[in-house]
Structure formats: C-alpha cells, structure tokens
Amino acid sequence: MDALIDALPLPYTDAVVATGAAVLGLLAGLVGVLAVLRRRTLVGDALSHAALPGVAVAFLLAGVKDTVSLLVGAAVAGTLAAVLVLALERSSRVRPDTAIGVVLSGSFSLGIVLLTHIAATGDAGQAGLQDYLFGQAAGLVQADVTLFAALAAGTVVVLALLHRPLTVVLFDAAFARSTGLPIRLLELVSTVLLVVAVVVGLRTVGAILMVAMIVVPAVAARQVTGRLATMLVVAGVVGAAVGTAGSLLSTATRTPTGPVVVLLGAGVVLLALSLAPGRGVLWHARRLRRDRRRRQREGVLVDVAAAGPAPVAASALGAGRPSRAVRRTLRRLRRDGLVRATGAGWSLTAAGQGAATAVLARRELWWAWLEHGAEVAVGDAREPDPDDLAGSLGAEAVERLRALGGTAPAVAGGAR
Amino acid sequence: MSPAVAIVLTAGLTATACGLLGPLLVLRREALVGDAVSHSVLPGIVLVHLVLGTRATLPVIVGAAAFGVVCVLALEALRSTGLVRADAAIALVFPALFSLGLLGVDRWAADIHLDLDSTIYGQIAFVPFRTLVLGAVAVPQSVVAIGAVALVDLLLLVAFWKQVKVATFDPGFARTTGVDPTVVARVLLTAVAATAVTAFEAVGAIVVIALLVVPAATAHLLTDRLGVMIAVSVAVGWVAAVSGYAGAVALDASIGGAMGVVATCCFVLALLLSPQHGVLTRALRRRQRVRAAGRAAAGRGTAAVPPTPLRRPGTCAAGGSCRPAGGRWRPGTLALPCARAAGTGALPPRTAAGAGGCTTRLAQASAPGRRSR
Amino acid sequence: MSAADARPPALEVRGLTVSYGRRPVLADVDATVPAGTLSAVVGPNGAGKSTLLQAALGLLPADSGRTLVEGRPARAALDRVAYVPQRDAVDWDFPITVREVVEMGRYRAAGWFRRVRRSERPVVDESLDRVGMTAFAGRQISQLSGGQRQRVFLARALAQQAPLLVMDEPFAGVDARTEAALLDVLTAVRDEGRSVVVVHHDLGTVRARFDHALLLNVRAVACGPVAEALTPANLRRAYGAAGVPGGAAGREEEPAWTR
C-alpha cells in the first residue's frame, strides 16, 4: 500500500486520498452487489444514521475521542440497527421500507439527543463528533487506507469462499432453505460485511453519501452483466474507478471529494441505464419503435394486398390504426418500392406483392404452429419466434408444420 | 405567545400535516420518500440563494419544494425503466441531488457560512424568535406556514378521499373506474414534498422524517380502518410533540431529537402490545392456545396434537375435493379425516349424489343448474 | 338469452391485435358476447385470455382493432362494465373493511367527491347479502380466506350495478363450495338480463353452467354457444392434440386421445 501511494505521481496527501477512495469504492462495490440484490440498499442508509448514537455512546463510555473506540461504537450500533430492521420485517405487519424508516429516524433522533445532551453537559472534548456524519476525505491518513485495504481483501476472500451459497440464497431463499443452507448465518455474514463497509466509509465520504457508493457500482454492473460472479468483479472495478476518478477530479477542481465522487457515480449509472446493450432505456426504446414500425408496415402491406388489384384509398386501410400512422407507413413503403400511388389510391408493386405474400406465408406458418405445435417434435425447449419460425425451430419442424397446415381463423356459431 | 407554546404548537401542526400523509406513504410502501426529499432539496435552497441572494422563508421554501418534486419525478422515472428497484432508485437519487447541493454550497454559498444542520434544515428552538404580526398579536411565522400546509393537506385528503383509497388499495380496479393511480401517486407525493419542505425550514429534517413514518407505522399496528389509522397517527404525532418538548427541556437536549425518540417509543409499545398485531400479545395468545390444546389432549388421555392439519383442507387422499370433517388429526388415523374417510360429517348433497367415493370437480360441476339450452 | 334478444352485443371485439415486444399475444381476434348470456373465455395457458379482457376494456393498449361495449367504444362505456381483475395488485394489508371494499363499487355512481350517501346503503347491503358476506361486513380484508375475498370482489362488482360483469379467473385458488356459490350468483345475474364474461379453465364447469364460450389461443378458435364452440375438433385446435385438459373434450362424444 505504501509503495503504491509513493509510486503515484501526486502530492502525498492527494495520493493517500485517491488510493483511499479507490479502495473504498472497491469495497462498497462488492458489498453493494449483495445489498442491491437483496433490495437492502437503504439498510445502508439506516445503519449509517444509526452509527450516530453508537458514536455518542462510545464517546460517553471511553470519555475521549479515540478513533478506534468510536469506530467500534458505530459498527456495533450499525449491526444492531441492521438486525433490528430484519427483525421488524419478520415480526409483524411492518413493511421493509417502513422498518428502515422507523429504525433510521428513531436511531438518528436518539443520536441527536445524546450528542446535544453531551454538548450541554459541557464536555469540551466532544466537539467534532458530528463530523462522523459529513465526510472529510481530505483528513484521510495512510493508516485509514491500510485499514480499508485489509477490509476489502477480507471481503474478497469471504465472497470468493461463499460465492455459491450466497448465489443460491440471493436467488431463491426457499430453495436454499430446502437444501439445508444456513440462511440466517449467510444473511448475518452479508449484513456484517455491509455494516463494516459503511462504518469505514463514514469517514471518507460521509454517511449520507456512503449510500450512493453502495448502490452506484452494483446498479451499473447489473446493467452490463447477468452473472453474479461477473457482477461482483465489474462492481468492484466500477467502484474503484469512480472513487479514483472522483478524487482526482476533486483535487484538480479544488472541490469537496465526497460530492464529486457521488455525482460522477450517478453519471456512470445514468450512462449504464441508458446505453446498456440489450437492456438500456435507449436500446429498449429503439427496439420498441422498430417493432411497431414493422408491425404497421406488415399490416398495411397485407391490407393493400387484401384489397385486390384495384387501387385502394389510404382511409380504407389499417382498421383501428390512426390514419396518420397509415399514411406515414405508406410513404415508407413507397420509398422502398413496395407500393405505388396512383390517382385512385394505393396499389402493390411486384416487389410489394412478393413481400405481402411472404408476410402472409409467415402468418400462415404461425397459425399452423399454434394449432399443431404440440405435435411437432422440436427436440428441446426451443420456443418459436413468430417472425422466424425456421430460424427458431429448425427447418425440419417447419417442413412438418407446412405439411400439417394451419386453418385460417374462423369463428364458429356464425358470429362473423 | 410564550416560547414553549410556540414550539409545541409548531411541532404539533407539523405532526398533524405529517400524520395526515404518513399513513398513505406507509401503505404505499413509500415510507422513505420523506428521507429522500429531505436530502434532495439542498440544491433548490442554494439556487435561491444564488439567484435571489436571499434566505427569506418563502423563496427558500419554493426553491426547495421545486427540488423535492424533481426528486419525486426522478424516482418515478427510474422506477418506470424497470431496471432499478424502488429502494435502489431512492439510494441513487437523493445522494446525487444532495451532492449537487453540497458542491453548490462549496462554490457559491461558502461565504455566508450556511450551517447545514440548523440554518438550512431549521432548528425548532428558533421558532419563537421569528414572528409575524397578524392583527394585534405576534404569531411565529412557522405556526402560520405549517398551519396553512396542514390545512391544505386536510382539504386534499377530504376531497380526494375515495380516489386515494381506491388507487392505493386496488390500482387495477381504480383504472376501470376511471381513476388513474399514477396521477393520484403524483399528487400525493407532491403534497408530501411541499409539506416536508415547509416543515424542514421550521423544525428540521429529522423531525419531519420521523413524524412521516413513525406515527403512521404505529397506527398501522393498532387499527384496521384507514380513517382511524390517520387519526391515531396524528394523535401519536401530538404526543411526541408535547412530551418530546418536555423531555428535551428536562434533559437539556435537542427538541427535535427528543420528539423522534418519543415517537419511536410509541412505536415500540404498539409493536409489543398491539391487541391484534403485537409481538407480545401474539406470543401470549399462541401460548394460551398450546396450553389449552395440551389440557384438552390430557383430558382425552392422548398425546398433545399438532394444531395444524397435515393436508390442506379441501383435498383428500383420493384426489377429489371434499370438505374436511370438523375433527382434528389424531395419531392412529392415516390421513386427514376428510368427510368420507372419517365417515362422519355430511357431504354436500350434490357431491353425495355423484358416483361413490370422492367426486371429481367435473362431476360436481355438472350438477343440476340452469343449462344453457 | 334467446335469439329474440334484440339488444346490441354486450361486448364485441373486432380485429383485436396485441403484442408484448415482438410476440403477438392476441392476433386479429373477433369475438361477440351476446347480451344476457353467461359467457366463458377458455384456452390454454398463455392464450391471451387476461390480455383479451384488459385490451377489450381499453385498459391495455392494442396494436389494432376495436371493441364495443353495448355498441359503444369501450373506453367511453367503462361505466357500463364491472371488472374484477386478477388479485395480485391488491394490497391485502390495507386497513379497510369488507363493507368499505363493496362501497367502492358505488364510488363512481355516487360521485367521487361526495360522501357515500345513505341511499347507497341498500345496494351495498344487497350485494353483500347475495354473496353471503353480510356477517363479515366489519372484517378487515386480510382476515378472510381466499374464497371469501373473491366473494367480496364479486359483491363490489355487483354493487357497481353495471349491465356487463367481467371477471378474470375468479375461481383461481378458490374452494369448490365457493366456486359453486359464486356460479349461482353469476347465473342469477344472467337471469336478471345482465351479461357476464368469465375467464375460466375448467371445461366441465363451462359446459355445465355457461351459455356461450370463446375458445382462444392467441387467435379466436371458436366463438359461439357452448355446444357449438367447444367441439372436440375445436378443442384440439386450441389446446393441441395432447393438451385438452382432464379429458374434458367430452366423455360422451369422443375421448381426446383417440383422434
């Protein structure tokens, strides 16, 4: 650790802060994955508030502002709060978010009462206890960084050892219980990991902002991977990167470290949420638009084909579809050379005739699948893609479907 | 108005406003919105200071409320992507907005030494010193402001009572009756943001967060009626206000903190002793049941019986559906005594008419009834 | 329910197409529910039964097609429909009594901004009575069994006094006795001249108790009087040869497996 800090081309204090933020980011990223998957991100919030009475009580007991005893006080109170939240959820009709809210505001109120009481009783040594809530990353010393690094290493080891049982518990607790896994113990382990990370984080970025350090890397990592092991690695890397970049940026711009790290992290999450391949908001929107256009296109093509060889007016097309969409689709189809406009209306070109036939054939095949799907041996659990049955089911299955043939939709009872 | 009365009145009015809205938040699983909003308003306050150069009450409240609404909308947007769960959305939004505010303070507001704890987030002990002359009497500003907000909340709740109830209880049904649950949610959260912001300025954030959640959670443990729940929640808030103030004076500690502690004590009492949902009361009831069962078993000269049947009622070994007979499972019998197996208890006439044994669903369904034609 | 019923169909769906992503859930469905019938929507899992109801009532956006309730566009006629959705969105812990839930059925008619008037009481009382829940009126909703809860939701729908009652899987997770009781109520409602549409998957019950059926598997396989719609051939087309549930293709006619 010392070698690393010395090797950085930065002034000593900046190097310490940057390394500290990186190691903390790594640590928070790892435990954050557990918290996010268990929907417990705000337990971090609750226990960081709960650290306040812990600090106050530790000070009352120790009588001096000693870092170690304050940290221990915070950790004990934090664990207590996390356990209380769990117990509240299980005991009664209290919902998880309410449980967190009650523990958070109750313990923080208690902390404030204790602190103000200590202040009022005139102990001069108490000044600065509140600083445990607001970060002072610039006050970070090398010993803190070493502590973080040790904790991060411990967390990595625990996660590596417990990776499999944790996956089972996180994914399907009922199944985990049926296999005899000690669920309570595993929950306690992941809670303790979270508590430890939050308590050491209090000093670096402050309690409130620690919450963000927990959630940002995990949420970003979830967008780019669907595997727990990969997610842990990505979250660790993202956390470390956000921590480092944020602290460097804050040094360069002479701004407070904590907020810069958090805002950078929020930016990373926004990017991941919008751009994540196959999942992101923009990607999703594009796919929706493409699918809608395609449906409109096929619908209009089939409608024009159904109208026969004579030109058909745009207003007679696309039952139920807004006519503006129909007109726009027609313009696109004309651009692609599939329809042509004559004075009397719209009609198909030769290419359009072919395209319409293809669409109809595909629909026909889909009807056949719906009707005879159960009789066609597919071999494995493949599911049909309505647009590409041959590709999704295999050519053989499609041959068989063609032979069986679909019946055009018909309605019995003369309703139609 | 004496300082003590001014403080207790302000706290009580805050408790009223929070007690009206808190139960809805708790029922909608949005209990932490108050916490999120309380942190998110900082950029609004900085912006007002930057643009208008003032820390006067009204512009600050407006600026803060604007960012409270930003927070609520951001939460909704994040959730609507379907990529982020509700808890993670809160944990993403409020630290980001709070950080934005901290940077703003650092850059533009450092010269005036905005003390985050008391100046921005209010300190209830200062309430008596900022007064407004109404007619001939000097009334604390915050009493007027929070009183107005509590009144607006009350009116909103009374006016939209049915919509709120339907949209919270059964959103699917609400939609069929022409009530859009998302609109209801937005109006409610906006009211929460405005209430919270007004109250922060006077009494401090922690009091508001505590009063939004804790009394409502307490009331939820005590009653099964929404109206009663809201009334109880307001009442618990007033208890916290009055005894919190007394306690704080006695201990020479923070008034807001003491109110939070008292509210939490009420919650703990309800949690343990609530007649229906209390942890202790339920444990006691269970013990009485076990004892009674034990006594009954001893009286019959058999071992204690398991209180739950081995099989779900309504099923029996033969796979059909029939009703369990009233009796308990006893050691010695092979399966849950369904009416037929035990040979006691009358079968419904319809199933009894079916071919012997447990009748299937199908046979039962073809019982006499109006045929279609 | 006779051919002489000259009223417009209670529910009419024309060319309804709904997709989730690329997968069509409903394709070009045409269906008619004649007024004054007890109608069932049947089909295999994933056939789009719930989607059909929701899209037909305008609660779900459709790609194309239109729906008419009593001859009027569905969205404008929602006050003519009492819809009982599947129950997953309901908050059972909500502090509300059985009676209050049923009163919700009167909210729209009585006005959203008024108190529930005294004159509404008989309607609520009668609805509770018809489903046999009068004795439970003061209970909180979570203290009821699954069957009792479903009775309450039927009572709420009855209190809406709408000419069309639409229920999505009302008998899922309900004991046989409750199912029979609910069916009796629905039959009585039909006999009053109202129309009832129920998503159901017990073909035996449908044959025995319903007038009209829509057999659905993404598209409408058959729609008409039960005897005409639920023929073995149609059932095979909807469920596939092996999939017809419980030999319900009709024991008298032809066992499903002989083909």
Side-chain angles (χ1 to χ4, degrees):
Chain A
M1 200 46 63
D2 301 356
L4 176 65
I5 289 170
D6 293 337
L8 288 175
L10 287 172
Y12 176 75
T13 6
D14 296 350
V16 169
V17 171
T19 325
V23 179
L24 184 78
L26 170 71
L27 179 62
L30 290 175
V31 298
V33 169
L34 301 182
V36 166
L37 292 181
R38 289 169 70 204
R39 309 184 191 198
R40 296 245 180 282
T41 40
L42 289 164
V43 173
D45 190 23
L47 60 89
S48 58
H49 284 84
L52 189 66
V55 168
V57 170
F59 175 77
L60 279 178
L61 292 179
V64 284
K65 261 199 307 181
D66 161 41
T67 310
V68 175
S69 60
L70 292 188
L71 272 180
V72 169
V76 170
T79 313
L80 205 63
V83 171
L84 265 180
V85 168
L86 282 178
L88 268 185
E89 277 176 43
R90 292 212 178 114
S91 69
S92 188
R93 72 191 318 195
V94 184
R95 281 93 179 265
D97 62 321
T98 308
I100 291 174
V102 168
V103 169
L104 182 153
S105 46
S107 57
F108 196 72
S109 301
L110 183 66
I112 289 180
V113 168
L114 285 175
L115 280 187
T116 45
H117 182 66
I118 294 170
T121 49
D123 192 329
Q126 52 79 32
L129 277 181
Q130 289 98 320
D131 289 342
Y132 269 83
L133 270 186
F134 291 100
Q136 7 148 258
L140 212 64
V141 294
Q142 205 169 335
D144 297 329
V145 181
T146 316
L147 176 66
F148 293 165
L151 283 173
T155 306
V156 169
V157 170
V158 171
L159 285 178
L161 284 177
L162 295 183
H163 163 238
R164 282 221 182 134
L166 276 177
T167 313
V168 178
V169 170
L170 287 173
F171 174 62
D172 187 348
F175 172 74
R177 192 165 292 132
S178 76
T179 60
L181 277 175
I183 300 211
R184 291 284 163 91
L185 187 69
L186 286 168
E187 265 182 359
L188 190 69
V189 168
S190 55
T191 303
V192 168
L193 287 180
L194 190 63
V195 169
V196 170
V198 168
V199 167
V200 298
L202 290 184
R203 285 176 52 79
T204 324
V205 292
I208 298 144
L209 308 183
M210 189 59 208
V211 175
M213 287 299 278
I214 295 234
V215 70
V216 159
V219 169
R222 178 63 190 89
Q223 307 313 317
V224 294
T225 175
R227 290 191 54 221
L228 180 63
T230 325
M231 190 176 162
L232 281 167
V233 174
V234 174
V237 171
V238 168
V242 166
T244 318
S247 62
L248 291 179
L249 193 66
S250 84
T251 317
T253 55
R254 294 163 184 278
T255 38
T257 313
V260 173
V261 172
V262 170
L263 283 175
L264 200 66
V268 168
V269 165
L270 276 188
L271 268 182
L273 286 178
S274 21
L275 300 180
R279 192 178 149 92
V281 174
L282 293 181
W283 204 90
H284 193 66
R286 216 189 73 195
R287 190 175 47 184
L288 275 185
R289 209 182 52 184
R290 209 180 48 209
D291 289 345
R292 198 180 56 232
R293 280 205 185 148
R294 188 190 162 123
R295 278 201 306 272
Q296 287 171 346
R297 201 181 156 90
E298 292 186 350
V300 170
L301 258 184
V302 169
D303 284 355
V304 176
V312 58
S315 56
L317 292 168
R321 277 186 286 264
S323 64
R324 260 185 56 199
V326 170
R327 278 172 217 288
R328 207 170 45 223
T329 311
L330 280 170
R331 278 200 300 278
R332 284 213 190 90
L333 288 170
R334 181 171 58 184
R335 195 190 57 207
D336 297 344
L338 297 179
V339 298
R340 65 172 160 259
T342 59
W346 299 84
S347 56
L348 292 176
T349 63
Q353 202 73 52
T357 314
V359 170
L360 284 173
R362 220 164 45 224
R363 286 195 182 172
E364 207 55 43
L365 206 57
W366 176 242
W367 300 147
W369 166 262
L370 285 176
E371 198 173 324
H372 299 293
E375 302 155 46
V376 177
V378 180
D380 53 23
R382 266 183 281 182
E383 296 265 337
D385 173 353
D387 290 327
D388 184 14
L389 279 177
S392 55
L393 295 176
E396 202 176 316
V398 168
E399 265 327 297
R400 175 122 173 76
L401 277 181
R402 284 224 173 84
L404 287 165
T407 325
V411 173
R416 193 172 186 175
Chain B
M1 199 180 282
S2 82
V5 172
I7 290 173
V8 170
L9 198 58
T10 306
L13 288 171
T14 310
T16 310
C18 293
L20 289 171
L21 300 178
L24 298 171
L25 288 183
V26 164
L27 290 172
R28 304 172 63 88
R29 294 158 208 265
E30 282 165 343
L32 291 162
V33 167
D35 183 37
V37 166
S38 74
H39 293 105
S40 303
V41 299
L42 186 55
I45 296 164
V46 174
L47 205 64
V48 167
H49 175 70
L50 188 69
V51 175
L52 302 176
T54 175
R55 273 156 64 198
T57 309
L58 195 63
V60 164
I61 288 183
V62 172
F67 270 80
V69 174
V70 166
C71 166
V72 165
L73 292 180
L75 286 179
E76 200 184 289
L78 268 184
R79 259 182 258 173
S80 70
T81 64
L83 300 174
V84 183
R85 301 233 177 79
D87 65 316
I90 290 181
L92 281 170
V93 168
F94 84 77
L97 286 172
F98 190 69
S99 297
L100 204 64
L102 281 183
L103 280 188
V105 170
D106 181 69
R107 180 116 300 181
W108 295 294
D111 51 323
I112 52 154
H113 300 290
L114 276 179
D115 176 358
L116 292 178
D117 284 335
S118 60
T119 316
I120 290 188
Y121 287 115
Q123 192 23 294
I124 195 166
F126 300 155
V127 159
F129 305 123
R130 288 179 295 170
T131 53
L132 206 68
V133 178
L134 283 184
V137 276
V139 185
Q141 269 181 19
S142 48
V143 170
V144 178
I146 295 178
V149 167
L151 190 67
V152 170
D153 287 342
L154 183 67
L155 291 178
L156 269 179
L157 205 59
V158 170
F160 293 102
W161 179 249
K162 289 175 179 173
Q163 283 92 333
V164 165
K165 207 154 115 176
V166 172
T168 307
F169 171 62
D170 189 348
F173 175 74
R175 224 168 271 123
T176 66
T177 56
V179 172
D180 186 344
T182 44
V183 172
V184 173
R186 245 176 245 170
V187 170
L188 177 68
L189 290 180
T190 308
V192 170
T195 304
V197 164
T198 314
F200 295 156
E201 204 272 333
V203 302
I206 187 61
V207 178
V208 180
I209 298 169
L211 288 179
L212 271 176
V213 182
V214 185
T218 312
H220 194 206
L221 290 168
L222 293 174
T223 173
D224 280 334
R225 300 293 296 267
L226 182 59
V228 181
M229 182 174 167
I230 290 175
V232 171
S233 154
V234 170
V236 170
W238 273 93
V239 169
V242 175
S243 36
Y245 178 75
V249 171
L251 277 175
D252 197 1
S254 151
I255 300 168
M259 286 171 58
V261 171
V262 171
T264 311
C265 290
C266 292
F267 172 80
V268 172
L269 280 180
L271 181 71
L272 295 177
L273 301 176
S274 154
Q276 252 206 316
H277 306 286
V279 174
L280 281 186
T281 37
R282 277 188 312 172
L284 210 65
R285 270 206 302 272
R286 202 173 314 128
R287 231 172 81 184
Q288 277 166 355
R289 259 205 316 273
V290 170
R291 275 210 190 133
R295 264 199 301 278
R300 282 199 308 270
T302 53
V305 292
T308 47
L310 292 182
R311 235 174 246 278
R312 222 155 29 88
T315 63
C316 77
S321 53
C322 58
R323 302 195 303 157
R328 274 219 188 85
W329 180 86
R330 244 175 274 146
T333 45
L334 284 172
L336 174 83
C338 81
R340 186 178 55 86
T344 60
L347 281 169
R350 204 182 276 163
T351 47
C358 271
T359 47
T360 62
R361 268 302 252 281
L362 200 70
Q364 188 180 16
S366 57
R370 211 193 113 166
R371 289 250 178 187
S372 52
R373 75 204 66 227
Chain C
M1 80 121 274
S2 62
D5 203 330
R7 288 181 285 169
L11 185 67
E12 194 178 359
V13 175
R14 286 283 162 258
L16 190 67
T17 301
V18 180
S19 318
Y20 292 149
R22 288 171 60 188
R23 194 180 186 85
V25 184
L26 290 175
D28 204 18
V29 172
D30 284 354
T32 307
V33 174
T37 56
L38 180 53
S39 299
V41 180
V42 286
N45 286 333
K49 292 169 292 197
S50 298
T51 310
L52 174 75
L53 295 191
Q54 289 177 38
L57 299 181
L59 303 172
L60 204 73
D63 298 341
S64 64
R66 60 205 175 105
T67 46
L68 302 173
V69 172
E70 297 185 320
R72 286 192 298 149
R75 285 220 72 119
L78 267 181
D79 57 331
R80 309 289 288 168
V81 183
Y83 172 55
V84 181
Q86 278 183 11
R87 287 160 290 168
D88 18 320
V90 172
D91 176 6
W92 299 114
D93 240 357
F94 197 88
I96 193 168
T97 60
V98 166
R99 191 182 177 81
E100 284 175 292
V101 175
V102 179
E103 273 174 5
M104 283 182 174
R106 299 305 305 159
Y107 280 0
R108 194 185 179 117
W112 282 101
F113 297 101
R114 276 190 234 137
R115 287 181 59 88
V116 178
R117 277 169 301 184
R118 205 165 278 269
S119 57
E120 307 285 354
R121 274 202 197 157
V123 181
V124 175
D125 288 336
E126 194 212 327
S127 305
L128 278 169
D129 186 51
R130 287 186 78 168
V131 300
M133 289 297 288
T134 308
F136 299 91
R139 292 270 188 98
Q140 199 260 336
I141 191 84
S142 70
Q143 297 164 5
L144 302 180
S145 74
Q148 289 171 326
R149 289 177 190 182
Q150 201 54 38
R151 285 174 192 249
V152 175
F153 286 102
L154 176 56
R156 181 175 71 183
L158 292 176
Q160 285 179 278
Q161 297 187 317
L164 173 61
L165 198 68
V166 179
M167 303 184 84
D168 196 348
E169 297 264 10
F171 307 128
V174 160
D175 60 297
R177 206 167 64 95
T178 305
E179 178 176 335
L182 292 179
L183 269 171
D184 288 343
V185 176
L186 293 181
T187 309
V189 168
R190 189 266 321 267
D191 293 342
E192 288 162 14
R194 295 200 254 170
S195 324
V196 183
V197 179
V198 178
V199 169
H200 197 23
H201 48 228
D202 184 346
L203 290 174
T205 315
V206 172
R207 277 171 202 286
R209 308 287 302 262
F210 286 68
D211 312 319
H212 195 90
L214 165 64
L215 188 55
L216 192 73
N217 185 10
V218 182
R219 50 192 186 137
V221 174
C223 178
V226 167
E228 293 168 34
L230 300 187
T231 61
N234 282 340
L235 286 173
R236 270 199 305 276
R237 286 181 55 208
Y239 286 88
V244 181
R251 279 168 303 182
E252 312 91 319
E253 296 117 356
E254 174 196 6
W257 56 87
T258 57
R259 269 186 49 90

